[in-house]
Amino acid sequence: MMEEKYLQVTSGRSPKECNLAVRLVASRITLEASKVGAIAEELETEEIDGLPCSSTFRLRGNDLDQLLDKWIGTVCWVCKSPFRPLHKRKNWFVEVKPYSPVAKEDVLHLKDVYFQAMRSSGAGGQHVNKFSSAVRATHVPSGISVQVMDTRSQLQNKEIALLRLAERLRELGREELNVANEQKWKNQIEVKRGQAKRVFHGPNFIEK
């Protein structure tokens, strides 16, 4: 069965040499994925001065764990700076991290909603004691539930419940997006240096 995994390659807001390393690592991931029959699709790239400081990939294929295990961690590129010839530093670090994409906003389908009739409570005279006009509507996939007793019509209460469920799902989507964006930002600014998982050398990015 074809799997789907996500990776983020980031320089952690480091010098432009590290951003160049992001580009080189991204190209190498794409190459190695193709060699094992997988597809690496670049979903999003954030650039600074024309170089990627962060690149997000979707990998699709079979048995992706071995490929991911080769990459997840710190990658070191040992090379004299192509931008600053007199610079003494030669070790440039980037990090490859697993990434969880934001789920698409849930669309409310009637088939996913379970309705339960209830007796209304509160003011309303004899009617509220005789008819189950209130409803509890539950969106089964998410578990979100609302209770509506706004009108004496069960049909109208169902319609109101659907509107409120749809709004709750939108709120949930916005919350998940905020959490995902916060984590993505942390990934971009936090890069572990040292104890590199893989080390590449020179302008041709050769692994030794």
Side-chain angles (χ1 to χ4, degrees), residues 61-197:
N62 299 314
D63 302 322
L64 294 175
D65 288 342
Q66 186 174 358
L67 177 63
L68 266 62
D69 186 61
K70 290 176 63 177
W71 280 108
I72 293 176
T74 302
V75 177
C76 177
W77 179 36
V78 182
C79 185
K80 186 176 180 180
S81 171
F83 308 111
R84 297 176 288 175
L86 300 181
H87 199 283
K88 295 182 179 181
R89 179 178 170 182
K90 293 183 179 180
N91 293 345
W92 314 102
F93 295 93
V94 300
E95 190 168 3
V96 181
K97 304 181 181 186
Y99 175 69
S100 297
V102 180
K104 293 181 179 179
E105 183 177 301
D106 284 323
V107 177
L108 185 62
H109 297 289
L110 192 59
K111 64 181 179 64
D112 293 331
V113 180
Y114 171 71
F115 291 101
Q116 181 182 4
M118 304 170 57
R119 286 187 179 273
S120 299
S121 60
Q126 295 296 318
H127 174 80
V128 297
N129 297 318
K130 292 180 181 180
F131 299 99
S132 299
S133 58
V135 296
R136 176 182 287 115
T138 303
H139 181 247
V140 177
S142 67
I144 295 175
S145 180
V146 297
Q147 183 175 319
V148 179
M149 54 183 71
D150 294 36
T151 75
R152 291 185 176 184
S153 166
Q154 188 179 99
L155 179 60
Q156 290 181 0
N157 284 337
K158 283 184 176 182
E159 292 174 348
I160 294 170
L162 288 173
L163 291 173
R164 291 180 181 171
L165 275 179
E167 178 56 31
R168 291 286 299 277
L169 286 173
R170 285 192 290 270
E171 290 176 358
L172 180 63
R174 288 192 289 267
E175 291 172 1
E176 291 177 346
L177 178 62
N178 289 336
V179 170
N181 284 338
E182 182 178 354
Q183 184 58 50
K184 187 177 179 183
W185 173 254
K186 288 181 179 179
N187 285 348
Q188 291 182 17
I189 63 176
E190 297 173 358
V191 170
K192 298 177 182 177
R193 292 170 174 81
Q195 297 183 337
K197 187 75 169 284

Side-chain angles (χ1 to χ4, degrees), residues 39-77:
I39 299 173
E41 180 185 1
E42 195 167 6
L43 299 179
E44 184 180 5
T45 300
E46 184 177 346
E47 294 187 347
I48 297 178
D49 296 330
L51 290 171
C53 60
S54 174
S55 187
T56 305
F57 284 87
R58 176 171 59 197
L59 298 172
R60 289 182 292 178
N62 299 314
D63 302 322
L64 294 175
D65 288 342
Q66 186 174 358
L67 177 63
L68 266 62
D69 186 61
K70 290 176 63 177
W71 280 108
I72 293 176
T74 302
V75 177
C76 177
W77 179 36

